Amino acid sequence: MTRAGRILIWIVVAIAVLLVAIVLFVALFNWNSARPWLDQRLSASIGRPVAINGDLTVNWLRNPDAGGVSRWVPWPRFTARDISIANPAWTRQPRFATVQQVRFSLNPVALVSHTIDIPSLKLFGPAVDVERDKQGRNNWTFHFAHGGDWKLAIGEVGFDAGTLRWNDDALDMHLDIDVKPLGKPIPFDQIVPPASGAPTPPPHSNQAYYFAWNAQGTWRGAKARGSGKIGSVLALSDASMPFPLQADLRLRDLHIVIAGTLTDPVHLGALDLSLDVSGNSMSHLYALTGVNLPTTAPFATHGRLLAHIHQGVFEYDKFDGKVGHSDLHGSVIYTSNGARPKLTGTLTSNVLDFADLGPLIGADSNASKVQRDEAQKQPADKVLPVETFDTARWRSMDADVHFTGKRIVRKAALPVSNLSTHLVLDDGVLTLDPLALSAAGGEVKANITLDGRKDPMHGEATLKLRRLELKKLFPTVDLMHTSLGQINGDAALKGDGNSVARLLGTSDGEVKLLIDDGAASKLLLEEAGLNIGNIIITKLVGDKPEKINCAAADLVAKDGTWRPRLFFIDAETMRIDVDGSIDLKNETLDLVMHPHSKGIRVLSLRSPLYLRGTLKHPDAGVEKGPLLARGVGAAVLGVVAAPAAALAALVAPSHENENACTGVLAQIRKPAKASGK
């Protein structure tokens, strides 16, 4: 044999011996001695101490699913027991998670580039403690290494039965959750059937529901519970692979049901869920979601929640629901990035029960089932709502929402056909611009601004009434059916206070109202003038409506006390002038009506009438003092020329042609003459 041949034989033998030595080394090596090195690499990769406390064993097998060189190289398949991941120093528990056993394969070729590549990781008996403090710090955010010496890449995570303890001080929620196998998987479309508006079932055959979970605990001091189902594999490297979720939660009065998928779980990426929410008031969702919604009647909604969590965008798309006895439909988007979170959307109600609007302004807080946790009781002797607006929440988010109520229902037969408004909340300032109603054949438009940055809150409002028909405004009053009168009016108000009662009780401003060509009960007018003879005649021959030529009021307010600059009713047989005051701060009345009969009246006493007492319990009667002289009306008219001129501007919107109020106001503006005895 030649010398070259002998050298070649020795090279082959050496390689064979080396391979045998490597095989023997791998087979006999005590891999527990490698735990410190692996602990160090894993800890550096996730930025949190990781420890393998139990045995570490290894089998070597090729991975047929790998590509390139990795396909032909044997992969170590590790089985590690008793794994723990530490918590940050501020948490209650020392450990974020413990796992009884972990199985995973490691790509040996990737180690050359300082990458710990684990395509599949399986957890057995995991126990996880999730925590968040009141400052918003959480223990589930890891600082994965990017670049540097070593980095961790995990493809997917499969798990077995386990437990989860959730202590969230920010939400005041504390839950213990147990996860157990279902026995056999449930296909996704059995939980979320394919339907219009429902999340699309995942295309991956293994994305069924494999585990059931149950939760018990507390939320805001009250009992909380939940149950549901989840999948078995979290795809950490494939952001498009969905993870099935299903939950039924009961938190205090809230009931939340979700079913759908989560993708990109590493970054809490995208949610696609059917979402049902119900409760006693939408405002109760604030403590759970941070979305500042108004106080409402009991509600229930169903829709689709699309969320890109890492972008802070949540869309409740094409939802349907009920609020009290009203229906509600629309889509809203909540964006949590930016200087302040913002809610935008469009809402529609086809049938809006007027009573369901009461809780929005704090009305009916005792009678209804809607109660804020901190609600003030409405005093039995008060009419104006005293429940306060929670302006502290107004600066927590902004809003831009359009709302339309197509038909309004009210037990008292208020003839309102629709309502629309554009609500804007900007840095604590709430505006309704405009707030529009179609009512009684006419329209009501208001602009309202409430400045929640101030304490007490400052409010301003302007109001316009145009062409409201009397017979439609009072459809249940028989005597108004023959009336052709219309109401026009303007108002401008401002006040300070955190409730409707305080805003009106401190109000400054003015209100102007004009009614032309109306009608009233003849008997009522005769009784107002104490025309005893005519009262007897009217009762004998029967009551009938009497034409009102014009009725007008020009009221001015200072610190909640309203006084008339001009207030009269001019009918065919009677004119009544009103003076006095209305104190909205104390809700008291002190009005005096001076009747002046026209024509011949038999046995007419003509004494002033009073209206006193409170808004809740008014008291009407005849003045007990001496009967007034006939010259009172003329004296009153001598100082009302300017208010009459201002009211004349309201005549034009009523009719294009001249109406009865034109002549009456012109007469009032003439210089007054002293009346004879």
Side-chain angles (χ1 to χ4, degrees):
M1 179 179 295
T2 64
R3 187 168 182 272
R6 289 195 300 271
I7 294 174
L8 181 60
I9 291 174
W10 279 108
I11 291 174
V12 172
V13 171
I15 293 174
V17 171
L18 179 60
L19 291 174
V20 171
I22 292 174
V23 171
L24 291 174
F25 174 79
V26 169
L28 300 177
F29 180 72
N30 181 10
W31 286 96
N32 285 319
S33 61
R35 289 184 306 180
W37 177 87
L38 192 56
D39 290 348
Q40 185 179 9
R41 299 285 83 77
L42 292 172
S43 300
S45 297
I46 68 171
R48 193 85 63 81
V50 179
I52 303 174
N53 303 302
D55 287 339
L56 177 64
T57 58
V58 179
N59 294 319
W60 292 78
L61 295 171
R62 286 171 54 191
N63 185 354
D65 296 328
V69 177
S70 299
R71 180 184 181 89
W72 304 101
V73 176
W75 286 37
R77 295 195 175 183
F78 293 88
T79 300
R81 295 168 177 83
D82 190 10
I83 313 298
S84 65
I85 302 175
N87 256 330
W90 57 266
T91 57
R92 295 187 183 92
Q93 303 297 327
R95 295 177 178 177
F96 168 72
T98 60
V99 185
Q100 295 177 4
Q101 187 178 116
V102 176
R103 295 179 184 174
F104 63 94
S105 296
L106 187 67
N107 184 351
V109 176
L111 295 175
V112 177
S113 59
H114 283 207
T115 299
I116 301 175
D117 181 15
I118 302 174
S120 178
L121 181 69
K122 295 183 179 180
L123 309 177
F124 298 87
V128 181
D129 282 277
V130 174
E131 293 188 44
R132 181 167 61 171
D133 64 12
K134 292 182 178 179
Q135 289 74 40
R137 295 179 299 181
N138 68 73
N139 70 338
W140 62 79
T141 299
F142 291 87
H143 300 288
F144 292 99
H146 296 284
D149 292 333
W150 291 89
K151 59 183 178 181
L152 177 66
I154 300 177
E156 60 183 33
V157 176
F159 46 86
D160 193 9
T163 61
L164 172 66
R165 180 180 299 170
W166 184 5
N167 289 297
D168 194 330
D169 291 339
L171 294 178
D172 193 13
M173 183 180 293
H174 309 277
L175 296 175
D176 291 322
I177 304 172
D178 292 321
V179 181
K180 297 180 180 179
L182 283 169
K184 65 176 183 179
I186 299 177
F188 182 88
D189 57 8
Q190 287 189 17
I191 303 296
V192 186
S196 177
T200 303
H204 308 274
S205 60
N206 64 334
Q207 289 303 292
Y209 293 95
Y210 284 83
F211 293 92
W213 61 269
N214 285 277
Q216 297 287 337
T218 61
W219 180 52
R220 302 177 67 193
K223 183 178 179 180
R225 66 184 188 275
S227 62
K229 302 173 184 64
I230 57 175
S232 64
V233 177
L234 279 170
L236 303 186
S237 61
D238 185 356
S240 65
M241 188 167 181
F243 178 72
L245 297 171
Q246 189 263 334
D248 188 318
L249 300 171
R250 293 187 180 271
L251 309 171
R252 294 174 69 95
D253 63 288
L254 296 175
H255 185 198
I256 302 170
V257 178
I258 63 172
T261 61
L262 165 71
T263 53
D264 193 10
V266 171
H267 303 99
L268 287 178
L271 285 171
D272 187 354
L273 307 170
S274 67
L275 172 62
D276 293 13
V277 186
S278 61
N280 287 345
S281 173
M282 288 187 179
S283 64
H284 294 175
L285 289 168
Y286 177 79
L288 183 65
T289 65
V291 181
N292 185 18
L293 298 173
T295 300
T296 67
F299 75 98
T301 64
H302 168 75
R304 186 177 183 183
L305 178 65
L306 303 169
H308 298 280
I309 303 174
H310 59 286
Q311 297 176 8
V313 178
F314 301 82
E315 180 179 4
Y316 197 23
D317 185 46
K318 296 179 181 177
F319 69 86
D320 299 299
K322 294 274 288 184
V323 181
H325 296 94
S326 308
D327 66 303
L328 187 65
H329 316 274
S331 297
V332 293
I333 298 176
Y334 179 75
T335 305
S336 60
N337 53 17
R340 285 181 304 277
K342 186 170 185 178
L343 181 72
T344 60
T346 301
L347 306 176
T348 301
S349 176
N350 294 317
V351 179
L352 176 63
D353 192 327
F354 202 79
D356 295 328
L357 297 177
L360 297 177
I361 58 173
D364 199 28
S365 59
N366 290 344
S368 72
K369 296 180 180 179
V370 181
Q371 293 285 344
R372 293 187 197 175
D373 297 336
E374 68 282 1
Q376 287 181 269
K377 295 293 185 180
Q378 180 75 14
D381 61 341
K382 298 294 183 182
V383 173
L384 301 178
V386 302
E387 191 169 342
T388 57
F389 296 98
D390 190 1
T391 57
R393 295 180 179 177
W394 288 12
R395 303 190 73 176
S396 65
M397 60 169 275
D398 294 339
D400 190 332
V401 178
H402 293 265
F403 174 78
T404 301
K406 295 183 178 179
R407 185 169 71 89
I408 297 179
V409 177
R410 187 175 187 269
K411 292 181 179 179
L414 179 67
V416 178
S417 57
N418 58 61
L419 176 151
S420 64
T421 188
H422 180 200
L423 181 150
V424 176
L425 180 62
D426 184 13
D427 194 20
V429 179
L430 175 66
T431 59
L432 300 174
D433 184 13
L435 173 62
L437 287 167
S438 293
E443 60 182 15
V444 179
K445 287 188 177 180
N447 294 317
I448 300 173
T449 300
L450 301 175
D451 191 346
R453 299 171 301 180
K454 298 180 179 180
D455 188 19
M457 178 178 68
H458 178 73
E460 295 187 8
T462 60
L463 182 70
K464 292 184 180 296
L465 310 177
R466 293 294 183 264
R467 298 178 298 278
L468 273 62
E469 299 179 27
L470 286 173
K471 64 180 179 181
K472 293 183 179 179
L473 191 60
F474 303 101
T476 60
V477 180
D478 292 338
L479 290 173
M480 303 303 294
H481 290 173
T482 59
S483 172
L484 299 175
Q486 291 187 340
I487 298 178
N488 292 281
D490 290 329
L493 310 172
K494 61 180 179 180
D496 298 290
N498 292 333
S499 68
V500 173
R502 288 296 300 163
L503 285 168
L504 293 177
T506 60
S507 57
D508 296 333
E510 58 184 18
V511 172
K512 294 179 173 64
L513 293 173
L514 194 69
I515 303 175
D516 73 278
D517 197 22
S521 165
K522 181 176 180 63
L523 178 60
L524 179 63
L525 291 174
E526 297 292 358
E527 289 177 342
L530 298 182
N531 300 315
I532 298 175
N534 293 74
I535 292 173
I536 295 173
I537 295 173
T538 301
K539 286 189 174 182
L540 289 175
V541 302
D543 193 14
K544 63 179 181 179
E546 180 170 331
K547 181 180 179 182
I548 294 177
N549 298 318
C550 183
D554 186 346
L555 307 176
V556 63
K558 183 65 176 178
D559 195 25
T561 299
W562 291 79
R563 301 182 186 278
R565 292 184 291 201
L566 176 64
F567 193 166
F568 72 88
I569 301 173
D570 185 86
E572 285 185 327
T573 62
M574 178 79 60
R575 194 188 74 246
I576 300 174
D577 294 293
V578 183
D579 61 14
S581 65
I582 303 172
D583 185 352
L584 294 184
K585 183 177 295 184
N586 300 305
E587 295 195 18
T588 58
L589 300 168
D590 186 12
L591 296 174
V592 180
M593 291 164 280
H594 307 280
H596 311 286
S597 299
K598 299 178 181 179
I600 299 174
R601 292 293 179 264
V602 180
L603 236 66
S604 179
L605 299 180
R606 258 178 292 172
S607 180
L609 307 178
Y610 66 78
L611 181 62
R612 299 192 178 102
T614 66
L615 297 181
K616 185 83 170 184
H617 302 290
D619 177 29
V622 181
E623 288 283 9
K624 296 179 181 179
L627 300 181
L628 292 183
R630 299 177 186 269
V632 173
V636 172
L637 294 181
V639 294
V640 297
L647 284 168
L650 293 176
V651 174
S654 179
H655 296 289
E656 292 183 2
N657 299 321
E658 188 174 286
N659 56 55
C661 275
T662 303
V664 174
L665 292 174
Q667 182 66 31
I668 291 175
R669 293 167 63 185
K670 293 180 180 180
K673 297 181 180 179
S675 62
K677 292 184 180 180

